[in-house]
Amino acid sequence: MLDPFWLLALLPVAAASGWFAGRRDAIHRARSGENFNLSSAYFKGLNFLLNEQPDKAIEVFIKVLEVDSETVEMHLTLGNLFRRRGEIERATRIHQNLIARPNLSKAQRLQALSELAQDYFKAGLLDRAENLFQELADVPTHAHQALSHLTQIYEQEKEWDNAIEVKKRLAKYTSRNVSPEIAHYHCELAAVDLRTDRSDGAREHIREALTKDPGCIRAAIQLGEVEYREGNYRRAIDTWREIAEQDARYLGEVIDKLVECYRRLDDNSGLQGFLDHAITEHGTPRILMARVDQIVEDQGTDAAVDFLTDWLRENPSLQGLKRLVELERAQGVDDAEEAQSLRLLVAGLAEREVEYQCRQCGFSGRAMHWQCPGCKGWQTYEPIVPQYTAQQPN
Ligand SMILES: [Zn+2]
């Protein structure tokens, strides 16, 4: 009889040899196609994936790996699945282990690097992701994807010079016109200069933006801003009025300062002519407000109430209504309790009226963004122009 000590000592060996035997069996079965067929398992997993059942797919793929742990593609698929389910740590571990293997082919190593870079990106480890993507950007087969990720990283980090450089390289790999986006990066640099009162730097970036995209409305808005700040009011007016020709929806972004320019120049008839034209051609709420303000200033509240009442009859809008209620209150019209609660109600509703919407993802709101907060598209988040069909009285 064996000494109990030896029994204990041999236990792990027995367990290990049992495991090896089981594994050999499994591989044998796998190779001979008896119970477990690798390729059919792979397709089974794939089917689960197509039917959007990632949990079941993962189960199948893990079984496959138990049988044949050499399958690099299976590791890649599984890692990818984990990342997509948000299990970044597990994905990262799989990809790091793969890369540590000495016998990977060059293509497999690059693929594993690319996956790992995406893990880092998704985990928010942007420095690490950046390093790997920079490496992959030099490899033609991976350049497109790596450069796309790099632009996302630089946009997020607001490293606009890097974003410009990477986007220019990306242009070689895509049929999409990336010039408008590069123009926006130059505008971002101009915006930094404008915030810190560096007009010369701003002008330089605006010029580059317009070289990249002559129709860049944001650059036109910024150019007018530089002129305005330098006291060149007539030039600011000319620059901003061109926006109306390019895309009048954006006139609302500069309308207050545009009015200010006319006032500084004491050009009241010019202002009235411009607003008259602007409101009939492109009646956004902001232009309407500017027009009402101008009437109040030049002709008084009564005239503004008359104008606004007529306008709202044809073009109902909550912001217009809110302004009307305010004007009537200023006129000294009875502010009884009911009138006051009506005023608050209208003001509350007007605050909810969205002014901008993304044509790409539908994100909407009341503050202007050049890059959509929802889908990160550049200039896809646009001012809404109300489309009213005036009701004819019966
Ligand atoms: Zn969007």
Side-chain angles (χ1 to χ4, degrees), residues 199-265:
S199 291
D200 288 351
R203 270 186 199 277
E204 185 57 28
H205 292 305
I206 292 165
R207 197 186 54 76
E208 291 194 65
L210 289 171
T211 309
K212 270 286 158 196
D213 177 14
C216 180
I217 211 115
R218 186 182 183 186
I221 290 175
Q222 289 178 324
L223 185 58
E225 175 72 29
V226 174
E227 302 292 7
Y228 171 81
R229 289 187 187 194
E230 291 184 350
N232 307 322
Y233 300 121
R234 187 56 66 187
R235 267 150 77 178
I237 288 173
D238 292 344
T239 309
W240 278 334
R241 287 193 66 159
E242 267 172 45
I243 293 169
E245 315 301 319
Q246 283 176 271
D247 189 342
R249 292 173 302 170
Y250 288 92
L251 212 46
E253 304 310 312
V254 296
I255 193 71
D256 292 342
K257 283 180 179 165
L258 193 46
V259 169
E260 177 70 20
C261 287
Y262 279 109
R263 297 252 184 242
R264 295 271 174 119
L265 292 168

Side-chain angles (χ1 to χ4, degrees), residues 358-363 372-377 380-381:
C358 177
R359 69 179 131 84
Q360 209 160 260
C361 73
F363 186 93
C372 172
C375 67
K376 306 292 176 208
T380 56
Y381 181 78

Side-chain angles (χ1 to χ4, degrees), residues 76-330:
L76 289 171
T77 310
L78 198 57
N80 198 315
L81 273 174
F82 280 136
R83 183 175 63 244
R84 274 199 278 163
R85 286 209 320 182
E87 296 184 50
I88 315 287
E89 258 178 59
R90 290 177 88 174
T92 307
R93 221 165 27 237
I94 288 180
H95 295 133
Q96 282 171 335
N97 285 338
L98 265 185
I99 290 165
R101 290 188 184 188
N103 56 347
L104 285 188
S105 72
K106 196 182 168 205
Q108 287 171 333
R109 175 173 306 284
L110 286 171
Q111 190 54 42
L113 274 179
S114 163
E115 297 291 334
L116 185 62
Q118 291 174 65
D119 297 340
Y120 288 150
F121 179 72
K122 190 131 187 221
L125 302 168
L126 296 187
D127 285 353
R128 289 190 197 182
E130 183 192 345
N131 286 338
L132 290 185
F133 283 133
Q134 282 285 10
E135 208 178 315
L136 290 160
D138 293 327
V139 184
T141 46
H142 289 266
H144 185 200
Q145 202 205 29
L147 291 167
S148 305
H149 276 102
L150 282 172
T151 58
Q152 289 180 55
I153 290 175
Y154 294 136
E155 283 183 6
Q156 226 168 300
E157 300 287 279
K158 301 193 184 303
E159 294 178 23
W160 305 113
D161 284 316
N162 286 335
I164 291 168
E165 192 226 305
V166 165
K167 194 71 115 188
K168 280 182 182 164
R169 288 172 67 191
L170 183 63
K172 279 179 240 151
Y173 297 94
T174 173
S175 55
R176 211 163 50 83
N177 179 17
V178 296
S179 296
E181 287 161 20
I182 296 178
H184 269 284
Y185 297 156
H186 286 293
C187 288
E188 290 287 346
L189 287 167
V192 173
D193 280 346
L194 281 171
R195 275 197 292 277
T196 48
D197 269 329
R198 282 178 297 193
S199 291
D200 288 351
R203 270 186 199 277
E204 185 57 28
H205 292 305
I206 292 165
R207 197 186 54 76
E208 291 194 65
L210 289 171
T211 309
K212 270 286 158 196
D213 177 14
C216 180
I217 211 115
R218 186 182 183 186
I221 290 175
Q222 289 178 324
L223 185 58
E225 175 72 29
V226 174
E227 302 292 7
Y228 171 81
R229 289 187 187 194
E230 291 184 350
N232 307 322
Y233 300 121
R234 187 56 66 187
R235 267 150 77 178
I237 288 173
D238 292 344
T239 309
W240 278 334
R241 287 193 66 159
E242 267 172 45
I243 293 169
E245 315 301 319
Q246 283 176 271
D247 189 342
R249 292 173 302 170
Y250 288 92
L251 212 46
E253 304 310 312
V254 296
I255 193 71
D256 292 342
K257 283 180 179 165
L258 193 46
V259 169
E260 177 70 20
C261 287
Y262 279 109
R263 297 252 184 242
R264 295 271 174 119
L265 292 168
D266 254 336
D267 183 1
N268 259 359
S269 65
L271 173 60
Q272 191 170 339
F274 164 70
L275 283 175
D276 259 345
H277 177 77
I279 188 121
T280 43
E281 290 298 307
H282 4 264
T284 62
R286 284 169 192 239
I287 293 174
L288 174 65
M289 294 310 144
R291 178 77 171 110
V292 171
D293 287 344
Q294 183 244 338
I295 297 176
V296 170
E297 193 136 325
D298 295 346
Q299 303 167 48
T301 311
D302 290 355
V305 168
D306 288 346
F307 167 81
L308 192 52
T309 311
D310 283 347
W311 175 265
L312 287 174
R313 216 168 270 141
E314 297 289 312
N315 314 277
S317 90
L318 283 169
Q319 290 186 58
L321 190 57
K322 178 185 167 206
R323 190 81 176 89
L324 182 62
V325 174
E326 283 167 4
L327 283 174
E328 285 185 333
R329 192 180 175 219

